[in-house]
Amino acid sequence: MENGKVQKDDEVLRMQYFIHTLQVFEAEFLSRAKFWDQIPQLVEEIVNSGPLALGTYEAVADILVRSSITSHPFKPDCVILSARSPYPMDERQWLLATSYNTGTECLHGAMLDEAKRWFEASTVICRFVPGGQDRAEKISDTYTHLLSRYGPK
């Protein structure tokens, strides 16, 4: 850094990664604090931030999707209604994977109530994917196993 400016390309890229990381953390903070009115400004900054904008935007979108579901009582019938429409199968699979993975993350983070909601959501989504009954049983077994490992002792 010379005169407060980043000079080399590798330094510029490193700074962009720092900014990316900070924007993701800022989005996480804003969503947890429910400061929804500040999110559009952050998204605008991300859109104008350069080469890492897409990755940052995707990370923030993932945080917001998770926050919007966990900040309200989850209603599986919302998923059911979506799944009954011509909802693409790959998106159903993505929704199943995301809800399952988020449940696992919540469990690892000792957020047991949230983990339970996510695992329940994933078992509901199983009704709308091929082999759903088997998957729901595996998810239930996995949840029981993880709960015994990470749950209250």
Side-chain angles (χ1 to χ4, degrees):
M1 283 179 113
E2 193 173 307
N3 295 329
K5 295 183 180 180
V6 177
Q7 299 295 321
K8 298 178 183 172
D9 287 343
D10 61 328
E11 291 175 343
V12 170
L13 184 60
R14 186 173 19 184
M15 293 301 292
Q16 288 173 339
Y17 276 106
F18 287 142
I19 292 169
H20 161 82
T21 302
L22 290 172
Q23 288 173 322
V24 171
F25 281 124
E26 182 179 2
E28 182 77 30
F29 168 78
L30 293 173
S31 66
R32 286 184 183 257
K34 296 181 176 47
F35 294 156
W36 306 115
D37 58 326
Q38 295 180 31
I39 299 285
Q41 180 182 353
L42 176 62
V43 170
E44 185 68 31
E45 289 173 17
I46 292 168
V47 167
N48 296 317
S49 68
L52 298 177
L54 180 61
T56 308
Y57 183 78
E58 288 175 346
V60 169
D62 185 50
I63 289 166
L64 294 175
V65 166
R66 283 193 261 157
S67 295
S68 68
I69 291 175
T70 60
S71 66
H72 305 292
F74 187 76
K75 295 186 171 144
D77 52 337
C78 296
V79 176
I80 293 168
L81 290 173
S82 296
R84 285 190 179 150
S85 66
Y87 205 65
M89 188 56 66
D90 60 336
E91 291 198 21
R92 295 182 205 184
Q93 300 282 2
W94 175 85
L95 190 57
L96 174 59
T98 300
S99 60
Y100 175 81
N101 290 339
T102 303
T104 303
E105 288 175 18
C106 289
L107 201 53
H108 288 294
M111 297 181 285
L112 302 180
D113 290 338
E114 291 214 17
K116 182 179 183 223
R117 284 194 301 206
W118 281 105
F119 280 110
E120 287 172 353
S122 63
T123 57
V124 168
I125 297 165
C126 282
R127 297 182 204 163
F128 305 99
V129 297
Q133 181 67 31
D134 291 337
R135 288 179 186 213
E137 289 173 14
K138 287 178 184 176
I139 290 169
S140 181
D141 291 345
T142 301
Y143 175 64
T144 302
H145 171 73
L146 289 172
L147 191 57
S148 69
R149 186 172 168 192
Y150 293 101
K153 297 186 181 198

